[in-house]
Amino acid sequence: MNTNEIFKNKKLAYGFTSLIGLAFMSFVAGWVFLIPIATMAFLLYGYTVYSKDQKHRISVNYKPSEAMKAIARREMELNKEKDRLMYEQSQGEIKW
């Protein structure tokens, strides 16, 4: 049996095309079903770990003191000054 007779065999050709079809259908099934299922499983696992962590978390509410308010005001003033200087520097001149 030479090579020409092997490729003329119809059953072999059908087997090869069915393997290609099987590979394509496996890819499509994996893309459509398996990847979303795996994604949902990972999201569900992450949510359960997150919710367990939330149970053991302590939340503390406090009112800012006058010193904290003064520090916040000073930081806002410094940010405004920095923004003003950056704007003036980008214009090429510094105004006082």
Side-chain angles (χ1 to χ4, degrees):
M1 186 186 254
N2 61 15
T3 56
N4 287 338
E5 291 175 8
I6 292 174
F7 288 114
K8 288 181 182 178
N9 189 352
K10 292 289 184 187
K11 289 183 182 179
L12 202 62
Y14 290 142
F16 183 69
T17 54
S18 66
L19 285 176
I20 292 174
L22 179 65
F24 178 74
M25 291 305 292
S26 300
F27 173 76
V28 170
W31 191 259
V32 173
F33 297 111
L34 297 179
I35 291 176
I37 289 171
T39 304
M40 290 304 295
F42 284 126
L43 286 173
L44 185 64
Y45 173 73
Y47 180 73
T48 56
V49 169
Y50 174 76
S51 62
K52 284 180 183 177
D53 187 42
Q54 286 294 103
K55 290 179 184 176
H56 303 295
R57 191 171 289 183
I58 298 172
S59 62
V60 178
N61 294 329
Y62 60 90
K63 292 184 180 181
S65 67
E66 288 302 317
M68 293 170 71
K69 289 179 184 178
I71 291 171
R73 279 193 300 272
R74 180 67 181 141
E75 284 182 1
M76 288 185 349
E77 289 172 5
L78 288 172
N79 278 336
K80 285 181 184 178
E81 182 70 18
K82 181 188 83 165
D83 290 341
R84 185 184 68 82
L85 289 173
M86 294 298 287
Y87 175 74
E88 290 173 356
Q89 193 174 30
S90 69
Q91 298 296 325
E93 56 187 39
I94 296 180
K95 301 173 189 172
W96 289 104

